[in-house]
Amino acid sequence: GLGPIGIIVAAPAESVPDVVYRFFCPGFRIGENEDPATGSALSTLGPYWLARARADSFKAVQLSDRGGEFHCAADGDESVVPS
């Protein structure tokens, strides 16, 4: 097995939202191995997508069964705050 790790898969969207992603955690028992709405994953993804978008915010959607929509904004040098 993969052990206690999480795997984030992200891609640019063709329109709003700016980013779509999934968060899998095969080493944990969270939502049958996928956390359905993982805002904390955006703290990892955020700096990359902010730089790519050349913007101070972006919209992300987690494409799990339950789903989750987040607006992410820069907060300081390297921080991203999802809401």
Side-chain angles (χ1 to χ4, degrees), residues 13 26 40:
S40 62

Side-chain angles (χ1 to χ4, degrees), residues 8-41:
I8 304 168
V9 179
E14 293 184 13
S15 61
V16 175
D18 303 301
V19 179
V20 293
Y21 72 103
R22 302 279 301 260
F23 178 78
F24 299 95
C25 38
F28 299 101
R29 298 199 54 89
I30 299 173
E32 299 300 320
N33 297 324
E34 181 179 7
D35 194 346
T38 315
S40 62

Side-chain angles (χ1 to χ4, degrees), residues 34-56:
E34 181 179 7
D35 194 346
T38 315
S40 62
L42 295 167
S43 63
T44 300
L45 296 174
Y48 172 81
W49 290 103
L50 285 173
R52 182 178 170 131
R54 296 184 180 167
D56 60 358

